[in-house]
């Protein structure tokens, strides 16, 4: 399933820093898409399946999630409107991260806010007391204007930049995490892995890029990542394979080759070790969740 870029009409001709929008429809049904704006979504009523990045989970009334910029996402639900049924209703706060940080730069330090927007690319589920506080503010915003509206927005962001009661929906990108930890040797090594992980990378090659002897490199890498180099490389490769299984119709054999595995049996063993199921079962489960017995809106 390939995500398509969507230009939000409300942001198309203006650099609004944020806006609130209520959506009422028989059921949630859009294309799997992404946009440059962030999105805080509260499900007022309705249930079904939501996809945010690689995360595929069921949602129900009261669900509160935050989707970062350029993250593919969609909410699917069954149609339950009509006699005895209820519409699916959502309340969303859309945020232009560049515009809001640009405005606030002259007023306060936006380092934590920028960090939150970057981290939100993993997708976030909000829970606990914070969920109640954010929902209360969000529900007030459609009827607010001026300073009151701005105050509610700022309070919501103040809650969100605190990591308490936030649950990350997608695993962190290993290459990005360790590349950002230190300049020089680590960045150079992670860049090399990113550029070459689809091919064979020997321990000698990795050690050479790092400017270390093999034994020293093994100790260095284990202390940095808490993984052996082989385990780390497999996690990076299987991470890509998981995305391709969800978002494409490529045969499993071709996906294995695309991710650097020449031996298909070894690919299957590595995939099952990390994801607990085989590649074929993983794809079947993903499709089943999205299709929801083929009753979910397209």
């Amino acid at each position: 399933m390939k995500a398509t870029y969507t230009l939000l009409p409300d942001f198309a001709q203006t650099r609004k820093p944020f806006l609130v929008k209520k959506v009422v429809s028989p059921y949630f049904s859009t294309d799997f898409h992404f946009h440059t704006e962030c999105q805080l979504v509260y499900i007022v009523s309705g249930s079904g399946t939501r996809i945010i990045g690689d995360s595929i989970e069921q949602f129900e009334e009261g669900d509160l999630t935050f989707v970062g910029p350029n993250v593919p996402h969609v909410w699917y639900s069954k149609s339950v409107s009509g006699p005895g049924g209820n519409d699916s209703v959502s309340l969303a706060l859309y945020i232009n991260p560049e515009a809001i940080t640009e405005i606030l730069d002259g007023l306060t330090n936006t380092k934590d806010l920028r960090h939150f927007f970057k981290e939100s690319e993993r997708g976030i589920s909000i829970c606990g007391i914070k969920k109640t506080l954010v929902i209360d503010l969000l529900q007030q915003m459609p009827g607010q204007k001026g300073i009151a509206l701005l105050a509610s927005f700022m309070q919501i962001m103040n809650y969100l930049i605190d990591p308490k009661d936030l649950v990350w929906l997608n695993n962190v990108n290993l290459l990005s995490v360790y590349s950002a930890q230190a300049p020089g040797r680590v960045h150079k090594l992670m860049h090399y892995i990113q550029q070459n992980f689809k091919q064979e990378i020997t321990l000698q090659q990795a050690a050479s890029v790092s400017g270390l002897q093999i034994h020293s490199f093994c100790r260095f890498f284990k202390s940095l990542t808490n993984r052996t180099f082989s385990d780390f490389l497999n996690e990076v490769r299987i991470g890509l394979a998981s995305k391709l299984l969800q978002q494409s119709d490529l045969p499993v054999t071709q996906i294995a080759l695309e991710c650097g595995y020449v031996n298909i049996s070894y690919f299957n063993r590595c995939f099952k070790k990390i994801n607990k199921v085989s590649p074929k079962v993983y794809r079947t489960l993903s499709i089943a969740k999205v299709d929801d017995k083929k009753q979910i809106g397209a």
Side-chain angles (χ1 to χ4, degrees):
M1 181 169 53
K2 186 176 180 180
T4 56
Y5 173 74
T6 297
L7 183 65
L8 298 181
D10 298 290
F11 285 102
Q13 297 179 347
T14 180
R15 282 179 57 81
K16 290 183 179 179
F18 67 89
L19 62 88
V20 181
K21 188 173 183 178
K22 186 175 184 179
V23 177
V24 180
S25 62
Y27 52 87
F28 297 118
S29 177
T30 60
D31 293 327
F32 188 47
H33 67 285
F34 64 94
H35 40 71
T36 56
E37 294 78 17
C38 302
Q39 185 176 351
L40 175 68
V41 180
Y42 168 52
I43 303 299
V44 180
S45 64
S47 62
T49 303
R50 64 167 154 76
I51 305 176
I52 299 177
D54 296 332
S55 169
I56 304 177
E57 296 184 359
Q58 298 300 304
F59 72 87
E60 58 186 13
E61 181 179 320
D63 190 59
L64 183 66
T65 49
F66 193 94
V67 184
N70 299 310
V71 178
H73 59 277
V74 69
W75 278 257
Y76 291 119
S77 67
K78 294 180 181 179
S79 176
V80 293
S81 62
N86 298 305
D87 284 326
S88 294
V89 182
S90 66
L91 186 60
L93 170 62
Y94 295 92
I95 305 168
N96 183 324
E98 290 187 3
I100 197 64
T101 50
E102 184 178 310
I103 291 170
L104 294 177
D105 267 337
L107 302 174
T108 186
N109 188 327
T110 59
K111 180 180 178 181
D112 290 343
L113 185 60
R114 291 178 185 277
H115 178 71
F116 170 77
F117 286 142
K118 180 62 181 176
E119 287 292 291
S120 69
E121 293 175 7
R122 295 166 59 190
I124 302 168
S125 177
I126 298 103
C127 57
I129 186 64
K130 180 177 292 185
K131 176 180 177 180
T132 302
L133 295 171
V134 171
I135 289 174
D136 285 345
L137 288 165
L138 188 59
Q139 289 179 316
Q140 296 175 40
M141 292 180 74
Q144 293 177 324
K145 295 181 180 180
I147 297 298
L149 179 63
L150 178 60
S152 293
F153 171 77
M154 294 302 295
Q155 186 59 64
I156 286 177
M157 296 313 303
N158 187 52
Y159 285 136
L160 293 179
I161 61 175
D162 178 358
K164 182 181 179 182
D165 291 335
L166 300 183
V167 178
W168 307 108
L169 298 177
N170 291 283
N171 292 327
V172 67
N173 185 309
L174 291 177
L175 292 171
S176 297
V177 167
Y178 294 110
S179 181
Q181 281 192 4
R185 176 179 292 163
V186 176
H187 178 78
K188 186 176 181 181
L189 173 62
M190 295 303 164
H191 180 72
Y192 179 80
I193 294 173
Q194 186 175 38
Q195 296 298 312
N196 297 280
F197 74 88
K198 294 183 181 181
Q199 308 167 25
E200 181 183 4
I201 302 178
T202 66
L203 200 56
Q204 178 62 58
Q205 288 172 322
S208 177
V209 169
S210 302
L212 297 169
Q213 296 297 319
I214 290 181
H215 293 302
S216 298
F217 172 77
C218 290
R219 289 195 300 270
F220 159 75
F221 197 86
K222 187 66 178 290
S223 66
L224 175 70
T225 67
N226 200 33
R227 299 167 174 82
T228 66
F229 179 71
S230 177
D231 286 343
F232 183 91
L233 194 56
N234 276 325
E235 286 191 46
V236 171
R237 288 170 169 166
I238 297 303
L240 174 61
S242 300
K243 288 184 178 181
L244 291 176
L245 285 166
Q246 286 188 20
Q247 301 175 11
S248 78
D249 297 323
L250 293 174
V252 172
T253 301
Q254 186 174 345
I255 288 176
L257 294 173
E258 287 285 334
C259 297
Y261 291 96
V262 177
N263 187 316
I264 306 303
S265 295
Y266 180 60
F267 166 71
N268 287 329
R269 288 199 302 273
C270 291
F271 192 97
K272 192 168 184 178
K273 179 181 179 181
I274 292 172
N275 286 327
K276 311 305 179 186
V277 294
S278 70
K280 289 184 178 180
V281 171
Y282 183 90
R283 171 175 271 171
T284 300
L285 291 174
S286 298
I287 293 174
K289 287 180 180 179
V290 176
D291 287 345
D292 194 16
K293 297 180 182 180
K294 298 184 180 180
Q295 296 299 313
I296 296 173

